[in-house]
Amino acid sequence: MSEIIEPIEGFGLSIKLQEKKLFSKIGVVGCGRDGQNIVGLTASAGLEVVFVEISNDKIQLALDNISKNLDTKVENWGLTASEKRSIMSKITGSLNYEDLKGCDFVIECIRYDDHTGERNKMMRKEVFMNLERILAPDAVIATNASTIIITELASDLEHKERCISLHFLVTQPEAKILEIVKGLYTSDEVFEKMKLFAKLIKHDYISVQESNGLVSLRLFVTMLNEACQMLMENVASLEDIDKLLQVGYGYRLGVFRSADILGIEKMVPLMNNMFDEYGDKKYKPSPLLLRLFRAKHFGVRTRKGFYLYDENGKLTGPAALA
């Protein structure tokens, strides 16, 4: 009787012929509020995530904040304690870009400057250069941005076609939708990968042409300026304007609450950037926004903006804006 010999690779005893799974390892550079949101989303979807920060203190702060956000879901029966532990086990913080080796997708998400409210363009270009040095040529490099043009960030790279822009609506985590922006060099293959990524994290998406402010910010700041104008004209109270948007149009937080969460220190420079780009006064920050900005009443982070907040970020009432 002849001996029967079968290959064993297909039975999982060897990884020699196994194909690497797409998005087997995700990287995030910068883990402030936006980065924490992205890390939490990707880890919750079952993906391994490595984030890079500039100090051990910032790494620990990011991990603590992500853990607290998950605790809220546990308390509201949206997650079990064991599921939270599983999610946190998929997250690793690092000080070293080298730890991003093996990632097939990395998102740049460096912090806004606390004083200017801007994310330095040259620093972001430097991040892209560092990532190209570390990553495989087919790994995707993305930025989480609404006003930065991805073509400009990619222009100095050798593999420009791998670069793309994603925009997460972090003020309203329940609104699970991404803006995906192809640059001048972005390949169709990379765009298709981002569509798959959106599906993996249970998000819908829209395709947006490369433009300053995309769809979300251009709509939002126009509405915010008009709401500020109505407030200055005493057409309605701050709370009632937000209530009308919430109850009448299904806007979860209202425009003033959303601005406080985004941060006035970020909104004003973004709006100035858009005004410079388009020359349209509808993007120029309202005098009321400028008053808050100059007073450093930035919103939730400083506990005072359009509304007042306690030390835990809980709303306590409207601020006196006169």
Side-chain angles (χ1 to χ4, degrees), residues 175-240:
K176 297 183 176 182
I177 189 165
L178 296 176
E179 291 174 290
I180 304 180
V181 189
K182 287 178 67 175
L184 181 63
Y185 309 111
T186 309
S187 69
D188 291 339
E189 180 186 2
V190 167
F191 182 74
E192 291 300 317
K193 286 182 179 180
M194 292 302 94
K195 287 165 60 176
L196 176 59
F197 173 72
K199 184 176 180 180
L200 285 173
I201 63 172
K202 298 180 174 60
H203 274 50
D204 204 342
Y205 72 91
I206 64 168
S207 175
V208 183
Q209 292 295 321
E210 194 171 51
S211 58
N212 194 322
L214 309 181
V215 174
S216 57
L217 195 60
R218 288 177 70 172
L219 287 174
F220 178 74
V221 300
T222 304
M223 183 167 56
L224 177 59
N225 265 343
E226 186 61 28
C228 287
Q229 183 62 35
M230 288 189 289
L231 195 58
M232 290 189 295
E233 293 174 6
N234 202 28
V235 171
S237 71
L238 179 147
E239 293 170 294
D240 282 347

Side-chain angles (χ1 to χ4, degrees), residues 113-114 116-118 262-269 293 298 301:
D113 185 278
D114 284 343
T116 66
E118 297 176 323
L262 276 167
I264 308 299
E265 80 281 16
K266 299 174 187 177
M267 292 306 306
V268 168
F293 180 76
F298 297 148
R301 187 171 70 87

Side-chain angles (χ1 to χ4, degrees), residues 68-81 174:
K68 287 176 186 175
N69 288 336
L70 294 175
D71 282 339
T72 301
K73 292 185 178 181
V74 173
E75 291 165 6
N76 292 322
W77 301 91
L79 205 66
T80 67
E174 305 90 347

Side-chain angles (χ1 to χ4, degrees), residues 259-291:
D260 277 354
I261 293 170
L262 276 167
I264 308 299
E265 80 281 16
K266 299 174 187 177
M267 292 306 306
V268 168
L270 287 172
M271 293 170 76
N272 280 326
N273 188 309
M274 293 168 66
F275 177 66
D276 291 342
E277 177 88 8
Y278 299 113
D280 194 323
K281 66 179 182 181
K282 69 183 179 184
Y283 299 123
K284 190 172 184 179
S286 160
L288 185 53
L289 278 168
L290 292 175
R291 187 189 308 167

Side-chain angles (χ1 to χ4, degrees), residues 24 27 141 151 167 171 184 189 220 243 300 303:
S24 57
I141 301 176
T151 296
H167 185 231
T171 54
L184 181 63
E189 180 186 2
F220 178 74
K243 182 191 289 187
V300 176
R303 296 170 56 182

Side-chain angles (χ1 to χ4, degrees), residues 10 13 22 25 40 53 55 59 65 73 87 97 102 133 162 174 177 197 204 230-231 235 263-264 272 291 296 322:
L13 298 178
L22 184 62
K25 183 180 176 185
E53 261 298 353
S55 70
I59 289 175
N65 287 339
K73 292 185 178 181
I87 291 168
Y97 275 87
R133 178 175 54 83
R162 66 159 85 194
E174 305 90 347
I177 189 165
F197 173 72
D204 204 342
M230 288 189 289
L231 195 58
V235 171
I264 308 299
N272 280 326
R291 187 189 308 167
K296 301 190 186 304

